[in-house]
Amino acid sequence: MSAPSRFDRGHTDDLMSFLAASPSPYHAVANAAERLEKAGFRQVAETDAWDGSSGGKYVLRGGALVAWYVPEGAAPHTPHRIIGAHTDSPNLRAKPQPDSGAHGWRQMAVEIYGGPLLNSWLDRDLGLAGRLTLRDGSSVLVNVDRPLLRVPQLAVHLDRSVSTEGLKLDKQRHLQPVWGVGDDVREGDLIAFLEQEAGLVAGSVAGWDIMVHPVEAPAYLGRDRELVAGPRMDNLLSVHAGTAALAAVATSGAPLAHIPVLAAFDHEENGSQSDSGADGPLLGTVLERSVFARGGSYEDRARSFAGTVCLSSDTGHAVHPNYAERHDPTHHPRVNGGPILKVNVNNRYATDGSGRAVFTAACEKAGVPFQTFVSNNSLPCGTTIGPITAARHGIKTVDIGVAILSMHSVRELCGADDPFHLANALVAFLED
């Protein structure tokens, strides 16, 4: 007998709201933290001494969040059940001197973050969002969520070869968005504009982490609204599902044999090597401090990590109807077919046979279907935070996710049922 479903289509509605409200990793973790606060979690500062009390706690570091729930009476060596995800998405980000322009156009100088599908950024209404750091070291979030910028495509009349040779974009010359007109480009204009938008005193900003985002809202798609189109599904879909699952488990009152954890990292799209990335010390430090705060020793820490399992949840590839030959011929994940188990024998994904058993048990308990993904042997395989987490912390890790189309596009596509299928499986995993 399968467990009753905790989440339904209302979860997908909430995902769409979460995507729209999270145009940057900083906004994503702030929104996740707000949801956890409503479930009784409290923020702890890394600079403070931690106590061993039970309940829900979380740490914020830049665009990363680690949250955990300690059940009453949890021993120092109690193992963890971890949901891993990442908060960043490929996009365009402001350069240190963002004010530029030419020929009567005012432009914003941008760098390319991660591996976006560049053509998907053309001719879209774009906003600006991110983090402003003030002179006193504090930070303020800013979100200009209205049409402000545009990367205009060259008219076909000026490049007839695009019809025969395809679109070719130079990352330096062709991706700089326009945001106004005028010949007088003044250094500091863009940041002054953002100070005004954030309600700050002029000249108070000393640093910034600002990025471009599409302002078109997520939407249901299809005859029966069985699809969802929206930005940043890779990988805020998993962050949202993990947040919802952790909050549900923490407020259920059910006895827990493990300590449930959500680890949402930044910088996965460019290698995870940062103080807030999966290849940094954040997760290990938080878990160790939690063990030691409950009176544990290094032996307790080793026992805890040895019994810990992580589900690394990231989006994967649904079979594309126009490019089916790019997929493995015997593995064709479909949207609304349930979450996918990702497998690669060269450890681009961390899943092995014992990990498959863990995930299978969670899906069966939740009563949700699941599928398996493996790459076509003739094409390179992507990777996730899964192998990094397994290698860095010695933690058994399983790579899973939701199958989507148009990965790394400004606007990605998933099945409307898959987000709540994933969330239900994550609840079952955390409760086990």
Side-chain angles (χ1 to χ4, degrees):
M1 179 71 68
S2 63
S5 179
R6 292 178 181 270
F7 300 110
D8 54 21
R9 185 61 74 89
H11 175 86
T12 305
D13 295 337
D14 191 61
L15 166 65
M16 295 165 70
S17 298
F18 185 81
L19 293 173
S22 304
S24 78
Y26 313 107
H27 288 83
V29 296
N31 289 324
E34 181 180 2
R35 290 159 185 254
L36 292 173
E37 290 269 0
K38 292 178 180 178
F41 285 70
R42 61 181 178 87
Q43 184 176 2
V44 294
E46 293 187 81
T47 53
D48 291 345
W50 292 4
D51 60 47
S53 60
S54 59
K57 305 170 187 179
Y58 68 91
V59 165
L60 290 179
R61 182 188 289 183
L65 173 146
V66 180
W68 66 103
Y69 179 80
V70 180
E72 287 283 352
H77 61 268
T78 300
H80 304 81
R81 283 289 174 110
I82 303 170
I83 299 168
H86 68 87
T87 60
D88 60 320
S89 301
N91 59 15
L92 312 178
R93 302 198 175 191
K95 286 186 173 180
Q97 295 180 3
D99 297 290
S100 69
H103 307 291
W105 294 99
R106 306 189 74 175
Q107 294 178 275
M108 173 179 161
V110 297
E111 280 190 278
I112 311 302
Y113 178 85
L117 287 173
L118 297 178
N119 63 292
S120 70
W121 288 88
L122 301 178
D123 296 332
R124 288 186 181 270
D125 295 338
L126 304 171
L128 277 181
R131 177 178 66 174
L132 301 173
T133 301
L134 309 186
R135 297 190 181 278
D136 63 2
S138 63
S139 62
V140 174
L141 299 184
V142 64
N143 182 11
V144 185
D145 195 31
R146 64 179 186 271
L148 178 68
L149 308 102
R150 187 179 180 91
V151 182
Q153 187 169 188
L154 184 65
V156 67
H157 312 79
L158 303 178
D159 182 14
R160 298 289 183 178
S161 67
V162 72
S163 299
T164 56
E165 300 177 15
L167 180 65
K168 298 178 182 179
L169 295 172
D170 183 285
K171 293 181 179 180
Q172 177 62 38
R173 294 184 294 127
H174 299 153
L175 273 299
Q176 311 304 311
V178 300
W179 73 297
V181 295
D183 291 307
D184 184 17
V185 177
R186 297 180 298 274
E187 184 177 345
D189 271 5
L190 183 68
I191 300 307
F193 167 75
L194 292 177
E195 287 175 333
Q196 185 177 17
E197 287 289 316
L200 298 172
V201 175
S204 59
V205 171
W208 52 88
D209 302 280
I210 299 298
M211 55 204 72
V212 178
H213 69 273
V215 298
E216 184 181 3
Y220 284 107
L221 187 77
R223 184 192 65 182
D224 299 318
R225 292 162 54 91
E226 68 267 49
L227 300 169
V228 173
R232 300 177 294 280
M233 290 185 183
D234 179 15
N235 185 34
L236 294 188
L237 191 158
S238 295
V239 174
H240 175 261
T243 302
L246 180 59
V249 169
T251 56
S252 69
L256 298 172
H258 304 82
I259 296 174
V261 179
L262 169 65
F265 300 104
D266 200 353
H267 302 130
E268 189 274 344
E269 296 293 355
N270 60 12
S272 295
Q273 292 185 323
S274 70
D275 69 332
S276 54
D279 203 19
L282 179 59
L283 176 60
T285 298
V286 168
L287 299 185
E288 287 178 348
R289 290 186 68 177
S290 179
V291 169
F292 297 152
R294 298 196 305 278
S297 62
Y298 182 81
E299 182 71 10
D300 292 313
R301 179 260 189 215
R303 294 174 64 189
S304 173
F305 278 42
T308 291
V309 182
C310 173
L311 289 188
S312 166
S313 182
D314 202 347
T315 54
H317 303 294
V319 61
H320 196 300
N322 299 337
Y323 301 90
E325 73 281 358
R326 299 297 183 98
H327 299 263
D328 182 83
T330 59
H331 295 78
H332 281 178
R334 298 188 176 192
V335 295
N336 289 330
I340 55 175
L341 181 72
K342 300 180 181 182
V343 179
N344 180 266
V345 295
N346 293 301
N347 287 334
R348 300 291 288 173
Y349 302 130
T351 306
D352 62 10
S354 62
R356 178 186 177 90
V358 171
F359 185 61
T360 299
C363 289
E364 289 178 347
K365 178 182 177 183
V368 303
F370 75 93
Q371 311 172 81
T372 304
F373 171 84
V374 66
S375 288
N376 184 311
N377 288 340
S378 299
L379 296 173
C381 179
T383 190
T384 68
I385 64 166
I388 295 172
T389 303
R392 182 169 184 85
H393 306 295
I395 289 172
K396 176 178 288 296
T397 304
V398 188
D399 272 297
I400 65 162
V402 163
I404 69 171
L405 291 182
S406 305
M407 187 182 293
H408 287 198
S409 172
V410 160
R411 200 162 177 85
E412 297 163 324
L413 186 70
C414 77
D417 296 340
D418 284 331
F420 64 82
H421 283 324
L422 174 64
N424 287 325
L426 296 181
V427 168
F429 166 72
L430 294 180
E431 284 185 337
D432 189 8

